[in-house]
Amino acid sequence: MKETILSVKDLTISFQTLDGKVCAVQGVTFDLKKGETLAIVGESGSGKSVSVKAINRVLPQGNTLYEKGEILYNGCNLLELPEKEMQKIRGKKIAMIFQDPMTSLNPTMTVGKQIAESIVKHQKLSETEAMKEAVNLIDLVGIRNPEESSKNYPHQFSGGMRQRVMIALSLACKPEILIADEPTTALDVTIQAQILDLIDELKEKLNMSVIFITHDLGVVAHVADRVAVMYAGRIIEVGTAEEVFYYPQHPYTWGLICSMPSLDTEDENLYSIPGAPPNLLNMPKGDAFAQRNAYALQIDFEEKPPFFKVSDSHYAATWLLHPDAPKVIPPEEILRRYKTFKSFNKKEKEVDVYDASIACAGE
Amino acid sequence: MGVYVLRRLVISIPVLFLISVGAFILVHLTPGDPADMYITPDMTQADIELTRISLGLDKSWVIQYFEWIKNFFSGNLGFSFTNRQPVGEIIMQRLNPTLILMGVSLVVAYLSAIPLGIISALKKNSVLDRFIIGWTFFNVSFPPFFLGLALIYVLAVQLGLFPTGGMVRLGQENDIASRIMHLTLPVIVMASQFSANMIRYVRASVLDVLEQNYIRTAVSKGLTEWQILFSHVFRNSLIPIVTVIGTDLPKIIGGAVITEQIFQWPGIGSLTVAAINSRDYPILMTIVILSAIAVLCANLLVDVLYAVIDPRIRYEK
């Protein structure tokens, strides 16, 4: 078992708005292991971005309330750290890449200088040494003519190139944890793959741990070791990428996977989850997904489901996993995936370690 | 860039020409006749006509205009109708006091407004911010003549701390302290006007920049608040600030009509009022042209500064 580098426990965050308090993140718990890539998936407004911005504490000050929970890094709770200490961790230990490369760089400063700034700050190098280092980093992320490029301003780069600059910037101090908040969302599909490969390659090279936020399951499959699925401010299923993709337990995860187009999907057949996510201002009682859930049980409307263990690494918050729950048959696509999953495991001679009743229901 | 500046300068020649035509027509449309100033009770109609001829007012407007422009290009700005002194000399005398008053006022205004605006933005919605904003609101909505009169009444008349007006006391021309005392009240009036305007622009501009994504990037780099302020916020919020400076700058030459009048400041502003009252066409024309040149130069300067501040702004050749 790899050691845990970052541990988020029962994180609860709400925002003070004109309409009242909005609880954006409710009791989120996850661990990040050394050298792994954890993907957090979920639709817009599910709280995935807020959860990770809390790690570096870059949420807007003033109207953000950290209500409960802790974020443990090297044994200290980042939420209680004074701002001055936090500045020594940001960029140096925990770095971030943001969603929008077009606006995330200062338009009036050369990119070399923006990268060097972080090096001067954390590694106490001189300006000229830092600039040299910045040129090396620009070279590392695959931008041509690094020497010359470092003297250019952000508007002289394309979106993909700017995201490479952002990556160089975040890697400037060889951080232990890289948080990538939808780094490919604003990019062309062809560029997306390049950026993902780059992050993956640099992760290996620098032995980083990566938290990857996305709503694109294709991206998850590409990069993740482990996956956490978020819905309405809570994590509803977490497991290895294989487990979540081929042995999903939560009806919301089923919905997500079914709504992924494959090569033989015809236009009119593309599945979408009915309804819309609940308003975070007045959350429904019980399971937040119950209203949209074709498999909802009576209890889903009354009580929030706790996490049920599927395997040592796989947990899901759905009443369907309760021993007394009626057996339901998941959608066809999911059953197909269960079979694939079974065949994986047969190969590994780990037959039937999963005794969750639901698995058999499909047979 | 050089080509751009040159082109702008060339374009400003026809602009100035049009301004001079417009100004000439407006000045001559003003009711009243400059010759009225010369009328004495014992003058006959023929005497008045003679005065008009000597002032060149008997010719048609078109001829008067072309004579004026011919003289202008040969460096002759004409003679004042009221005291027959060369216009250039009069303007030069008045320019200095105005430059001192407006220059000091602008420096005081900006030195106070820029830090106050930044503080106000950084501490948005705090008591301090509300106080600063309330203060700017008070200044913007208070007419300068009222503030000037109130200051004169309280600080000069009642308390006797400052002189009520003028630039120097006779015989004390070299007394710096006395000059500063004379300068204080009009500078307070002018500076509070300039700074109130500027504070609001600085605050809005800094607030706008603080919400940009690249500030979030700077925060997540681990920079301190001050580092972010100096290396990321300041330069990016300069564009609106430079624009305001560009609109303030021409006033250094144009002067402040009302404030100069209240404090009997011997500057361009009070000269303008006097020249209008006496229909002193040559002086008015020169002041208008001078102000127009100042505005055009300030605009050009601002456009050049934009490109210096923001690398995205480039003027093609």
Side-chain angles (χ1 to χ4, degrees), chain A residues 48-191:
Chain A
K48 49 195 194 310
S49 205
V50 173
S51 313
V52 294
K53 279 180 188 150
I55 296 172
N56 234 352
R57 294 223 317 250
V58 291
L59 288 167
Q61 289 173 357
N63 60 354
T64 308
L65 299 169
Y66 298 96
E67 307 226 10
K68 256 197 326 201
E70 48 188 16
I71 297 171
L72 292 175
Y73 168 75
N74 277 345
C76 69
N77 183 359
L78 295 183
L79 291 181
E80 283 167 358
L81 223 52
E83 182 62 25
K84 251 201 136 81
E85 293 301 309
M86 199 62 217
Q87 282 164 2
K88 289 180 193 156
I89 290 180
R90 283 191 200 120
K92 188 178 185 188
K93 302 286 184 195
I94 306 175
M96 287 190 87
I97 306 171
F98 294 100
Q99 176 175 357
D100 194 352
M102 307 308 276
T103 57
S104 290
L105 292 167
N106 183 347
T108 60
M109 200 188 257
T110 62
V111 296
K113 221 170 163 194
Q114 294 190 53
I115 297 169
E117 203 178 25
S118 175
I119 302 170
V120 172
K121 167 85 186 173
H122 295 297
Q123 300 182 349
K124 312 273 180 271
L125 291 182
S126 73
E127 288 270 348
T128 36
E129 284 173 303
M131 272 312 273
K132 257 185 222 153
E133 185 60 34
V135 172
N136 289 341
L137 282 160
I138 291 172
D139 191 30
L140 182 73
V141 296
I143 295 176
R144 261 174 257 148
N145 302 330
E147 189 82 37
E148 215 171 289
S149 300
S150 73
K151 293 186 189 87
N152 284 349
Y153 289 93
H155 71 275
Q156 290 160 296
F157 293 87
S158 67
M161 286 297 145
R162 284 191 218 185
Q163 197 58 295
R164 283 171 191 263
V165 172
M166 274 303 288
I167 293 170
L169 195 154
S170 62
L171 298 180
C173 297
K174 318 250 176 319
E176 291 176 21
I177 301 171
L178 178 69
I179 300 170
D181 186 359
E182 307 203 27
T184 58
T185 305
L187 303 177
D188 286 345
V189 186
T190 46
I191 309 293

Side-chain angles (χ1 to χ4, degrees), chain B residues 238-313:
Chain B
L238 271 180
I239 292 268
I241 296 173
V242 165
T243 312
V244 177
I245 293 179
T247 59
D248 283 347
L249 271 185
K251 293 174 192 155
I252 281 196
I253 288 177
V257 170
I258 295 168
T259 309
E260 287 187 8
Q261 198 70 7
I262 289 171
F263 288 97
Q264 300 133 52
W265 195 262
I268 300 278
S270 47
L271 177 67
T272 312
V273 177
I276 292 171
N277 282 337
S278 57
R279 310 285 182 271
D280 201 335
Y281 298 163
I283 287 190
L284 279 178
M285 285 303 293
T286 310
I287 290 176
V288 171
I289 295 298
L290 212 56
S291 305
I293 292 174
V295 170
L296 290 174
C297 287
N299 285 352
L300 180 58
L301 180 71
V302 166
D303 284 342
V304 169
L305 281 178
Y306 284 163
V308 174
I309 294 164
D310 192 335
R312 285 169 298 181
I313 299 174

Side-chain angles (χ1 to χ4, degrees), chain B residues 34 40-41 43 77 79 85 97-99 110 118 137 145 157 165 178 192 204 216 247 268 274 282-283 295 300-301:
Chain B
T40 50
M43 265 175 135
L77 296 173
F79 292 87
Q85 273 182 320
T98 287
L99 284 178
Y110 294 162
I118 293 173
F137 196 67
F145 71 86
V157 176
S178 157
S192 56
R216 188 182 59 191
T247 59
I268 300 278
I283 287 190
V295 170
L300 180 58
L301 180 71

Side-chain angles (χ1 to χ4, degrees), chain A residues 43 231-232 234 236 250-253 271 273-279 283-305 317-320:
Chain A
E43 57 198 296
Y231 183 77
R234 298 183 72 205
I236 51 103
H250 198 288
Y252 178 64
T253 318
Y271 174 80
I273 303 173
N279 183 350
M283 287 286 282
K285 212 173 133 202
D287 185 2
F289 186 58
Q291 271 83 0
R292 304 170 70 186
N293 184 358
Y295 304 92
L297 308 173
Q298 187 56 40
I299 190 166
D300 276 319
F301 293 96
E302 283 155 18
E303 215 175 311
K304 267 187 192 143
T318 168
W319 285 115
L320 292 178

